[in-house]
């Protein structure tokens, strides 16, 4: 029987949260948090095990991570391999896990009617999993494939270098992912059986008293408790003591060091790290949140604001410590803490609902670290102003305690050391406190100061009364200048709004040069606004300015009280834009590095890029953009921006806690600023200039193939994207394709990844280009060349054809119901809803009732119709089958490149742009401005 105590009633939750929570402890000491949400469309659960990679046995690096992989295979109660993942997928859900230093987290979501059985299957991970010898060997290869994927990732390389430069007696120093070397070669050389070690690790560490479970359901708390207890009470409890890791990861020899390291990608980065007192001890006092708020501030007078004009390492170090000294001299400011606490409190009480699968993961992690009262808030609510504790942490941020890591390609050939797991080249220098003091002394005399009071903090959090109860966005305004779609908040009752303004400018992507200049313009615009708009972001009013295919877009989302103020400032900056040469060249260098770093993308990303480049009309190759970028000057942008804005059409969407007349007033103001006056910045676009999205139409019954060498010769991964182009947007065809993808997704993953071990990245997914629907297989592999991967995809489809026909009527109906349930799922928050409707607007489809219409089509769909669809579009030799295979070959598969090319029986695309010009195009949904009615 589960035990409940008084703490269960003390869980502190947001004022706007209508969910019910209950803490129980099962007889096996498993601590459980039940979350009842009658409005949810998805149920979810997460189990956090307080064991992670820090607990890996010596000489078996990555064992905890490997165990995480293995628990997904099978169990004594459900011995069929892959049955858990198949059940979750076929019932509209998803599942995953991750291993961290001190915990491993397993989680899933699923449609409500399948939740009880899904929980039972999930519980078997921790009761009696089966780890067969065959599956063990196959999954070691999967772990190794995951490691191979990360070998040339600067994020993974840099993280491991920091760990490498720490005390070898502390588990922080370990390599934690695992590889073929650590899980097979080395153990075998020592006479160890990895599977036996795996079982020993599981039995010795996976104890119920070291686990925390969160269960999220639409059922009442009482029913949930009755479902959870019998399913999870059989998890063994060995009363394992919680594992602690005493000692410091960094001794004196690992402090006061300057580490120079060579990254894979172009760019320069300085990272400063200090070992500090664990902030979890003082989460209510929030010392790290207070100091992070100030040191990371980006407003005028901040460290960030000043550093934008400096690039020498000594200047950066000196200015950083100058700012830390300023914090020491200014003392701990109660008004800053109170302002920060107020922002955090507002954010907590009005935080958006998130997908249950994300929510349960966060809560399960919080259960490990916080008392039950603070499981929902965690460390997000600093509430106790304690200057001495903040000062304690501030005093640890000293020159004598710092580790400085400096990444730059300039260090190539100048380093003498190599990190053993990833092969990162680096060197280490000791730097004295006196040297840093000298850098502080000679640092530029900039006017650093604390931030001003934040004027963007909302004080009016009221909900607009009498909002019109509209179901879908409505077109409330249309002119030669703009089109305004409006959707009041009728679901979320939150004092927030979402505003999206797309500037459709015919000159934006007229050529590779104009595309690049448009990109630089949007980045410069954001750069100019940052010192002002950063205050809004701190106060919960996020904004972004992004380069788009048709120009640029402005998005503002957050508390609506001060939103208009921020929007008007953004528009004023656009209207009065001038080019600052010094900032232009900084942004230009950043853009150039971004383009140059394209060659370091994962091979599967390169293959997806080639697929898009082949299919999207009027898209420019990155190679041409790199060619023109070096020759562009500030004067070029000064001449270009007036031309860019000279013809503009505004596509606008306003949603949330805003009345229709307010929305119209916002857009009217924008029109007045940009289109009115004696010298208007913008003029309306001509009817012939309205922008379109055109997609190349592949020929029926044809298979096309594009070959490319991997752009990074050091990357041993090859990749395949096998794309099926199926149809232009149509409700019935859409659901046939989606149902095929749902049914085939998990079998494809199991066969191609788990059984054949082709590569860690193996996925079947839908792909949509501006209303043109398709599906694609994406595989990245070190073990097989793309030609072989292509053959295995076709072999899978041949096998799947039989399975589709063997499917029982009951199985078919369950899959249909699962997809219906997915489509019935309500939007969780205003931002999610707005993005859904905005996609309809930007694509030009305007099918705001898409979910309802597709559900109606699904419910009429028969199994015979699905089989006919498969036979017509997907099956090998299907009459309307249209495929495009983009293959990226690594240097290790260079021999197969030529042999595959000569043996391929597909139509080879040798020149992308000649091919694009030779093909017909689908009609564009976008650009139909004249057909829209108010």
């Amino acid at each position: 029987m589960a035990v409940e105590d008084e703490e269960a009633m003390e869980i502190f939750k947001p004022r706007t949260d209508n969910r019910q929570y209950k803490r129980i402890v099962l007889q096996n000491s498993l601590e459980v948090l039940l979350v009842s949400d009658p409005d949810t469309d998805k149920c979810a659960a997460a189990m956090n095990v307080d064991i992670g990679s820090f607990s890996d046995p010596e000489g078996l690096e990555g064992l905890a991570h490997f165990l995480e992989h293995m628990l997904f295979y099978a169990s004594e109660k459900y011995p069929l391999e892959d049955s858990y993942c198949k059940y979750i997928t076929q019932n509209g859900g998803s599942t995953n896990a991750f291993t961290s230093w001190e915990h491993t987290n397993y989680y899933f979501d699923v449609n409500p009617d399948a939740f009880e059985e899904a929980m039972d299957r999930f519980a078997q991970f921790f009761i009696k999993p089966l780890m067969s010898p065959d599956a063990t060997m196959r999954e070691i290869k999967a772990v190794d494939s995951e490691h191979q994927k990360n070998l040339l990732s600067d994020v993974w390389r840099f993280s491991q270098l920091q760990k490498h430069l720490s005390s070898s007696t502390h588990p922080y120093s370990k390599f934690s992912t695992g590889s073929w070397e650590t899980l097979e070669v080395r153990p075998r050389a020592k006479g160890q059986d990895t599977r036996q070690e795996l079982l020993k690790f599981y039995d010795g560490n996976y104890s119920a008293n070291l686990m925390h479970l969160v269960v999220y359901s639409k059922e009442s708390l009482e029913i949930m408790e009755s479902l959870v207890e019998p399913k999870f009470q059989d998890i063994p409890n060995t009363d394992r003591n919680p594992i602690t890791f005493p000692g410091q990861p960094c001794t004196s020899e690992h402090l006061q060091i300057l580490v120079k390291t060579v990254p894979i990608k172009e760019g320069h980065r300085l990272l400063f790290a200090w070992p500090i007192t664990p902030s979890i001890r003082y989460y209510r006092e929030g010392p790290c949140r207070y100091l992070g708020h100030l040191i990371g501030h980006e407003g005028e007078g901040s460290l960030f604001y000043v550093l934008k004009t400096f690039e020498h390492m000594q200047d950066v170090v000196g200015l950083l410590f100058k700012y830390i000294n300023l914090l020491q001299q200014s003392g701990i400011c109660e008004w800053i803490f109170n302002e920060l606490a107020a922002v955090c409190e507002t954010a907590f009480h009005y935080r958006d609902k998130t997908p249950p699968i994300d929510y349960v993961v966060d809560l399960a992690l919080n259960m490990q670290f916080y008392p039950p009262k603070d499981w929902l808030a965690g460390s997000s609510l600093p509430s106790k102003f304690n200057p001495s504790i903040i000062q304690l942490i501030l005093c640890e941020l000293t020159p004598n305690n710092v580790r400085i890591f400096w990444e730059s390609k300039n260090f190539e050939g100048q380093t003498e050391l190599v990190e053993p797991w990833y092969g990162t080249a680096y060197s280490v220098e000791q730097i004295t406190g006196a040297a840093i003091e000298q850098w502080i002394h000679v640092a530029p005399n900039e006017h650093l100061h604390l931030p001003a009071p934040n004027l963007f903090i909302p004080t009016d959090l009221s909900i607009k009364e009498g909002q019109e109860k509209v179901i879908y966005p409505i077109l409330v305004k249309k002119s030669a200048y703009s089109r305004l779609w409006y959707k009041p908040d009728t679901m979320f009752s939150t004092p927030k709004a979402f505003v999206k303004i797309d500037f459709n400018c015919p000159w934006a992507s007229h050529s590779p040069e104009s595309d690049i200049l448009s990109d630089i313009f949007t980045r410069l615009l954001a750069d100019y606004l940052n010192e002002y708009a950063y205050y809004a972001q701190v106060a919960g009013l996020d904004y972004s300015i992004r380069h788009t295919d048709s120009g640029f877009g402005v998005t503002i989302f957050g508390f609506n009280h001060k939103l208009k103020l921020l929007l008007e400032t953004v528009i004023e900056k656009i209207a009065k834009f001038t080019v600052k040469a010094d900032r232009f060249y900084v942004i230009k260098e950043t853009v150039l590095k971004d383009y140059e770093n394209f060659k370091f993308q994962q091979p599967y990303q390169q293959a997806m890029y080639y697929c898009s480049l082949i299919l999207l009309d009027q898209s420019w190759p990155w190679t041409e953009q790199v060619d023109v970028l070096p020759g562009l000057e500030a004067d070029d942008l000064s001449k270009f921006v007036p031309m860019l804005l000279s013809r503009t059409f505004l596509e606008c969407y306003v949603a949330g806690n805003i009345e229709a007349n307010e929305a119209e007033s916002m857009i009217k103001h924008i029109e007045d600023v940009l289109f009115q006056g004696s010298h208007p910045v913008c003029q309306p676009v001509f009817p012939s200039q309205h922008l379109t999205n055109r997609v190349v139409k592949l020929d029926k019954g044809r298979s096309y193939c594009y070959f490319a060498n991997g752009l990074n010769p050091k990357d041993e991964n090859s990749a395949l994207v096998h794309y099926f182009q199926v149809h232009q947007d149509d409700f019935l065809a859409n659901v046939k394709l989606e149902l095929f993808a749902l049914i085939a997704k998990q079998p494809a993953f199991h066969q191609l990844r788990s059984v054949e071990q082709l590569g860690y990245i193996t996925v079947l997914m839908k792909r949509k280009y501006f209303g043109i629907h398709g599906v694609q297989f994406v595989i990245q592999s070190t073990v097989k060349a793309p030609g072989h991967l292509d053959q295995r995809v076709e072999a899978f489809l041949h096998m799947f054809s039989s399975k589709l026909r063997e499917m029982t009527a009951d199985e078919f109906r369950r899959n249909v119901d699962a997809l219906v349930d997915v489509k019935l799922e309500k939007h969780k928050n205003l931002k999610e809803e707005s993005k859904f409707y905005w996609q309809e607007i930007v694509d030009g489809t305007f099918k705001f009732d898409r979910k309802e219409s597709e559900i109606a089509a699904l419910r009429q769909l028969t199994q015979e119709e699905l089989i006919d669809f498969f036979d017509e579009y997907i099956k090998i030799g299907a009459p309307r089958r249209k495929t495009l295979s983009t293959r990226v070959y690594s240097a290790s598969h260079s021999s197969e490149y030529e042999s595959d090319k000569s043996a391929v029986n597909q139509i080879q695309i040798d020149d992308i742009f000649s091919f694009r010009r030779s093909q017909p195009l689908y009609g564009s949904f976008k650009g139909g401005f004249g057909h829209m009615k108010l």
Side-chain angles (χ1 to χ4, degrees), residues 430-527:
Q430 293 294 141
I431 48 172
T432 64
I436 294 179
E437 290 296 339
Q438 177 62 20
W439 294 344
I440 298 171
H441 179 71
V442 300
N445 189 23
E446 298 296 318
H447 183 50
L448 293 165
H449 60 79
L450 298 180
N454 193 336
L455 301 179
F456 278 101
I457 295 176
T459 54
D460 181 1
L461 298 169
S462 61
I463 304 300
K464 306 283 185 184
E465 297 296 334
Q467 291 276 59
E468 189 178 354
K469 300 297 182 184
V470 297
I471 301 175
Y472 305 118
I474 54 176
L475 184 61
V476 296
K477 182 179 184 296
K478 184 177 76 170
S479 71
Y481 312 124
S482 69
R483 179 165 52 191
L484 170 61
W485 299 92
Y486 169 68
K487 171 69 171 65
D489 177 12
T490 56
M491 286 185 61
F492 310 109
S493 298
T494 183
K496 296 180 181 181
F498 182 97
V499 174
K500 182 82 175 179
I501 316 287
D502 245 22
F503 287 71
N504 289 274
C505 309
W507 283 101
S509 299
H510 189 68
S511 66
E513 290 93 341
S514 62
D515 199 45
I516 288 284
L517 288 168
S518 297
D519 187 11
I520 295 176
F521 162 68
T522 57
R523 297 192 195 210
L524 265 180
L525 184 60
D527 183 74

Side-chain angles (χ1 to χ4, degrees), residues 875-933:
K875 184 180 176 182
I876 300 168
R880 303 184 72 176
R881 190 182 205 244
K882 301 184 291 184
T883 67
L884 170 60
S885 174
T886 54
R887 305 178 179 186
V888 173
Y889 287 76
S890 67
S892 60
H893 293 137
S894 58
S895 60
E896 288 98 328
Y897 179 89
E898 292 301 333
S899 59
D900 285 356
K901 209 169 184 184
S902 60
V904 73
N905 57 1
Q906 299 162 312
I907 300 170
Q908 290 189 42
I909 300 172
D910 296 316
D911 182 280
I912 288 176
F913 309 105
S914 295
F915 174 76
R916 276 197 339 204
R917 287 190 290 268
S918 71
Q919 291 296 117
L921 303 174
Y922 280 100
S924 173
F925 287 111
K926 186 174 181 176
F929 170 70
H931 301 294
M932 298 305 302
K933 303 293 185 184

Side-chain angles (χ1 to χ4, degrees), residues 137-339:
M137 187 57 65
R138 280 187 278 126
E139 204 57 26
I140 291 176
K141 293 177 181 177
V143 170
D144 185 67
S145 178
E146 183 177 358
H147 174 57
Q148 295 294 326
K149 171 185 72 72
N150 299 332
L151 278 175
L152 297 179
S153 163
D154 282 326
V155 172
W156 286 92
R157 294 164 70 89
F158 192 66
S159 172
Q160 187 59 43
L161 180 59
Q162 293 181 73
K163 294 163 70 176
H164 179 65
L165 294 173
S166 65
S167 173
S168 60
T169 62
H170 195 280
Y172 173 70
S173 66
K174 291 180 177 180
F175 167 64
S176 57
T177 307
S179 66
W180 183 258
E181 180 75 17
T182 66
L183 296 172
E184 171 59 22
V185 176
R186 293 186 184 182
R188 185 174 294 278
K190 294 188 293 185
Q192 289 180 302
D193 183 325
T194 301
R195 179 173 177 270
Q196 292 304 315
E197 295 297 326
L198 187 72
L199 296 171
K200 186 194 304 182
F201 184 83
Y202 177 86
D203 291 338
N205 291 292
Y206 272 48
S207 176
N209 70 307
L210 296 185
M211 299 180 184
H212 298 91
L213 174 67
V214 180
V215 178
Y216 192 110
S217 170
K218 56 190 305 119
E219 302 291 353
S220 68
L221 292 173
E222 291 71 23
I223 292 176
M224 290 176 68
E225 185 172 349
S226 68
L227 294 174
V228 167
E229 186 173 359
K231 288 177 174 52
F232 290 91
Q233 66 184 359
D234 291 334
I235 297 175
N237 177 20
T238 61
D239 282 326
R240 177 81 156 84
N241 289 327
I243 302 177
T244 58
F245 304 96
Q248 294 293 328
C250 297
T251 60
S252 58
E253 67 179 290
H254 306 112
L255 304 176
Q256 287 187 281
I257 56 173
L258 173 63
V259 182
K260 296 177 180 178
T261 178
V262 182
I264 298 296
K265 292 185 176 181
E266 297 289 340
H268 310 281
R269 183 167 74 138
L270 271 176
L271 180 138
F272 299 81
W274 292 269
I276 61 169
T277 303
S279 59
I280 190 69
R281 297 180 185 175
Y282 307 113
Y283 69 94
R284 290 192 179 96
E285 291 81 2
C288 290
R289 185 176 287 268
Y290 176 93
L291 295 172
H293 168 66
L294 294 177
I295 297 174
H297 207 280
E298 298 180 20
E300 190 270 329
S302 68
L303 178 65
F304 179 90
Y305 178 82
V306 169
L307 287 177
K308 292 204 300 185
T309 60
F310 294 97
E311 58 183 28
H312 293 108
M313 184 273 290
Q314 290 90 340
D315 289 339
V316 175
V317 176
L319 286 165
L320 168 61
F321 281 103
K322 264 193 173 182
Y323 194 83
I324 291 173
N325 289 343
L326 169 67
L327 298 183
Q328 291 279 16
Q329 295 158 10
S330 303
I332 309 304
C333 300
E334 186 169 8
W335 77 265
I336 292 178
F337 180 89
N338 290 340
E339 182 182 89

